[in-house]
Amino acid sequence: MKVLVLGGYGAVGRHVVAALREAGDTAYTAGRDTDSADRVVDLRHGDLPPAALDGIDVVVNAAGVELPRLVARATDAGAAFVDMTASTGYVYAVEAMSPAAPVVLSVGLAPGLTTLLAAAAYADSPGPVDIALVLGAGEKHGPAATAWSYDLLGRRFPDTGGGPPVRNYTRGRPFALPGLGRRRLYRADFSDQHTLTRDLGAPVRTYFGMDSRAATAALALLTRVPGGSRAPRGLHLPGSDRWLAYARTATGRACWAQGRSQSRATAVVTVRAARRAVGLDAGVHHVTGILSLAELAAGDEGIGIHTPAD
């Protein structure tokens, strides 16, 4: 394939580019940095000129820029578009489009792997599903991912269970997590809980935390502080680069995945989705329709997956 990776020199994008090139594909990095980009484009205003898309089979959005215009530009040129966004409003906006080529959403770690885990847990025991996501505080996350997490502070989102709106990083709930023990995690507005609630017909709720208890507690505190989203972002609390994604039903049946480097795991799922995208019909697809946990478990890519059948 020939793949244009938006933000291909960033925290996640560089892993996507490396994996594609290792497999023999041609991967071009795209962005504003003239020293790092193979194809220089300014993505902030949806600028994706024909020259940048020349000969491209798939566009992977690893830049954190959420503009439906980018999707339209790529698909109108005949390229599939793969996006790892976690923002609900953007997902709904893209779902409302009628793209001329395939678009794949909900790829990466969360959404993506968390989506597949929740769907598998529900299939084993239909009913409400809780998703728990723990990321390593010791990993250096990209600026787009950091900004997204901070921007959630103080914001509210619709409760997928039909209750009153939820403030991000509140309504803590305890989880007994494999390898981490008992942890208190907090609600966060990841998009797959909304799309899964709609598609499965049962409430799906996402809870979030860091492997550092102090970092998790700081989020729960800052979300109640006016202007908390403007807190300094360069602080690194003690922690590792280990991550855990976990889904459980009301009956206690659980699926989970774990590994090291959230950025690399996100890239693994994204590259798998990009390979599938070129053969799909035009329209908007989600990861649950094109990938399975079994496929990811079969790969030797540092992702350990456990399902109820294990």
Side-chain angles (χ1 to χ4, degrees):
M1 300 186 300
K2 289 187 177 181
V3 186
L4 184 70
V5 184
L6 310 182
Y9 43 80
V12 175
R14 62 187 177 87
H15 288 290
V16 172
V17 169
L20 289 167
R21 289 175 176 171
E22 185 177 350
D25 297 308
T26 301
Y28 301 99
T29 60
R32 288 179 291 143
D33 189 331
T34 56
D35 293 328
S36 302
D38 298 316
R39 298 189 178 186
V40 178
V41 295
D42 187 344
L43 303 173
R44 294 172 297 178
H45 306 295
D47 182 19
L48 205 53
L53 295 166
D54 183 35
I56 296 299
D57 300 305
V58 184
V59 174
V60 172
N61 186 8
V65 177
E66 298 176 337
L67 292 172
R69 184 179 175 187
L70 286 175
V71 181
R73 286 289 185 95
T75 54
D76 285 349
F81 196 91
V82 177
D83 203 314
M84 59 188 71
T85 183
S87 297
T88 307
Y90 174 66
V91 167
Y92 286 161
V94 174
E95 284 185 329
M97 299 173 66
S98 298
V103 174
V104 182
L105 302 174
S106 305
V107 304
L109 182 58
L113 193 49
T114 54
T115 317
L116 293 170
L117 290 167
Y122 175 86
D124 182 74
S125 178
V129 181
D130 287 338
I131 297 172
L133 176 66
V134 179
L135 300 183
E139 180 175 355
K140 184 177 181 180
H141 302 285
T146 301
W148 187 87
S149 299
Y150 272 74
D151 286 345
L152 293 183
L153 288 165
R155 295 178 180 264
R156 299 178 187 270
F157 62 93
D159 180 27
T160 50
V166 182
R167 186 200 296 263
N168 283 293
Y169 310 130
T170 65
R171 302 193 191 180
R173 188 167 187 177
F175 287 82
L177 299 173
L180 292 174
R182 193 170 180 83
R183 293 296 181 96
R184 190 170 187 82
L185 306 180
Y186 298 89
R187 295 290 302 277
D189 192 16
F190 286 85
S191 63
D192 54 348
Q193 65 190 311
H194 301 285
T195 55
L196 283 167
T197 294
R198 177 194 65 196
D199 296 342
L200 299 179
V204 178
R205 298 180 177 91
T206 300
Y207 294 80
F208 176 74
M210 309 294 289
D211 68 335
S212 162
R213 296 178 190 272
T216 303
L219 288 173
L221 176 63
L222 282 172
T223 199
R224 298 184 181 278
V225 176
S229 61
R230 298 190 295 273
R233 305 185 181 190
L235 302 177
H236 291 284
L237 295 171
S240 71
D241 66 348
R242 295 187 178 277
W243 57 266
L244 172 73
Y246 176 91
R248 73 179 182 194
T249 66
T251 63
R253 299 291 278 176
C255 303
W256 70 90
Q258 56 194 344
R260 304 189 70 156
S261 178
Q262 167 253 327
S263 297
R264 186 174 182 277
T266 296
V268 168
V269 181
T270 301
V271 169
R272 292 289 188 96
R275 292 192 177 286
R276 290 293 171 84
V278 291
L280 298 175
D281 294 332
V284 180
H285 307 261
H286 285 271
V287 71
T288 47
I290 66 169
L291 288 178
S292 70
L293 284 177
E295 292 175 82
L296 293 173
D300 183 20
E301 297 171 297
I303 298 178
I305 296 176
H306 306 267
T307 65
D310 294 336

